């Protein structure tokens, strides 16, 4: 009798342990699934794009290979502040490699997830800066010499463009890619009436940017015609090619060409 009770209780105990183990497996699977889902949230995409855009990058290789269409430019981007809703604000500037202290283009980038109703991952908007002169070389300054977050927010001026980025498909070199709408955004530089932008972020840290301006008839009036600028992360030493002709100020003839090949503005 006693041995029978022990067998029964042992069977019941085994069944209970089995049920508990199954429950733990199910719960563990749910938790793992949630963790995997959390790793690709909308905000994770936005943070990934903001991080990829940040840093110092150059178009040096393009200038070497095709000096008729590309200049050796420096692109510098760094965090400026964060909005209440979590959107990241980046400061962005471009300059000739030899004169980084004189940027010819300055912008604020606002990076946030795409609206849920849109089929994209990240919304990247550019804004003019209210007092751009005060922000020159911002990324090169110590943090205690940069504008406070509330000052940055107050200096975000008119909206310029918005690019909707999506994750690149399998087999592509890029991580994210996107463009402005086909109709672009208003722009009055050098005879243009609107402009478009294409941007892609690559696995090796490159950022490709293709900005173009068009007149009312759809004729391209500024921007490169052969392809985007390819900005690659800064090399370990900025002085590897110190004596290269590409690193000296552009002569007057090149400066004139810039009006058509690339846009220098302070918008």
């Amino acid at each position: 009798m006693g041995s029978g009770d022990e067998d029964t209780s042992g069977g019941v105990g085994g069944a209970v342990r089995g049920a508990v183990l199954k429950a733990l497996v199910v719960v563990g699977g749910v938790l793992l699934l949630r963790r995997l889902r959390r790793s690709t949230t909308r905000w994770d995409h936005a943070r990934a794009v903001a991080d990829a855009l940040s840093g110092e990058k150059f178009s040096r290789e393009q200038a070497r290979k095709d000096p008729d269409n590309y200049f050796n430019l420096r692109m510098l981007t760094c965090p400026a502040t964060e909005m209440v809703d979590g959107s990241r604000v980046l400061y962005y500037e471009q300059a000739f490699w030899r004169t980084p202290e004189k940027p010819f283009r300055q912008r604020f980038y606002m990076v946030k997830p795409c609206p849920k109703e849109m089929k994209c991952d990240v919304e990247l908007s550019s804004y003019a800066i209210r007092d751009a002169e005060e922000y020159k070389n911002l990324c090169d300054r110590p943090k205690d010499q940069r504008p406070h977050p509330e000052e940055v927010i107050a200096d975000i001026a008119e909206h310029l463009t918005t690019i909707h980025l999506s994750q690149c498909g399998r087999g592509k070199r890029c991580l994210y890619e996107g463009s402005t709408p086909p109709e672009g955004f208003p722009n009055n530089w050098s005879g243009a009436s609107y402009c478009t932008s294409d941007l892609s972020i690559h696995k090796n840290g490159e950022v490709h940017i293709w900005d173009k301006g068009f007149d009312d008839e759809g004729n391209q009036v500024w921007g490169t015609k052969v392809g985007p600028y390819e900005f690659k992360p800064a090399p370990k030493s900025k002085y590897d090619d110190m004596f290269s002709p590409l690193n000296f100020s552009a002569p007057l003839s090149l400066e004139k060409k810039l009006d058509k090949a690339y846009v220098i503005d302070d918008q």
Side-chain angles (χ1 to χ4, degrees), residues 128-148:
I129 300 174
R130 200 171 304 283
D131 189 357
E133 188 69 24
E134 293 295 321
Y135 285 84
K136 282 186 176 180
N137 308 126
L138 174 74
C139 304
D140 293 323
R141 303 181 205 167
K143 290 188 177 181
D144 60 356
Q145 294 180 20
R146 299 181 185 183
H148 295 121

Side-chain angles (χ1 to χ4, degrees), residues 16-92:
V16 171
R17 283 194 297 272
V20 170
L21 287 174
K22 287 182 181 179
L24 289 174
V25 169
V26 171
V27 171
V30 171
L31 292 175
L32 178 59
L33 182 59
R34 287 180 178 176
R35 181 173 297 177
L36 290 173
R37 286 176 176 172
R38 280 202 300 270
S39 68
T40 55
T41 63
R42 296 163 59 246
W43 282 104
D44 286 329
H45 288 303
R47 281 189 287 270
V49 168
D51 291 342
L53 288 172
S54 298
E56 188 179 37
K57 305 175 192 290
F58 294 89
S59 60
R60 178 176 297 148
E61 288 189 23
Q62 274 187 310
R64 281 195 187 120
K65 295 176 181 178
D66 190 359
D68 290 334
N69 289 297
Y70 298 99
F71 296 93
N72 184 12
L73 303 179
R74 177 207 197 205
M75 167 184 163
L76 187 62
T77 311
C78 62
T81 190
E82 188 169 309
M83 305 296 283
V84 175
D85 67 353
S87 301
R88 291 192 177 188
V89 179
L90 308 177
Y91 170 74
Y92 160 85

Side-chain angles (χ1 to χ4, degrees), residues 11 15 29 36 60 85 90 97 143 147 183 207 224 227 236 244 249-250:
L36 290 173
R60 178 176 297 148
D85 67 353
L90 308 177
W97 184 94
K143 290 188 177 181
E183 65 274 15
V207 174
T224 60
K236 293 180 180 179
S244 168
S249 299

